[in-house]
Amino acid sequence: MVYQSRTQSEAQLENEMIEQLVQLGYAKVSIPSIKNLQENFRIQMDRLNKET
């Protein structure tokens, strides 16, 4: 992680956070619409419910 200044834009912060999460094994997904968001949420909840 490189800090070039004491402040950074929100976009830079988000990109660094996403990069860190991907490095930890989280999958990066693209959710272009509310419908896709709802579908992804449903899929993730179903997956989690099956694990417990």
Side-chain angles (χ1 to χ4, degrees), residues 35-51:
K35 181 179 179 183
N36 291 113
L37 175 67
Q38 291 169 333
E39 289 173 6
N40 186 59
F41 181 79
R42 200 171 295 115
I43 289 167
Q44 299 305 321
M45 291 303 294
D46 287 345
R47 181 182 61 82
L48 290 170
N49 284 333
K50 289 177 184 174
E51 289 179 5

Side-chain angles (χ1 to χ4, degrees), residues 12-24:
Q12 290 171 318
L13 181 62
E14 288 175 2
N15 288 333
E16 282 188 20
M17 183 175 174
I18 291 168
E19 183 180 325
Q20 290 175 2
L21 291 170
V22 169
Q23 290 174 357
L24 290 171

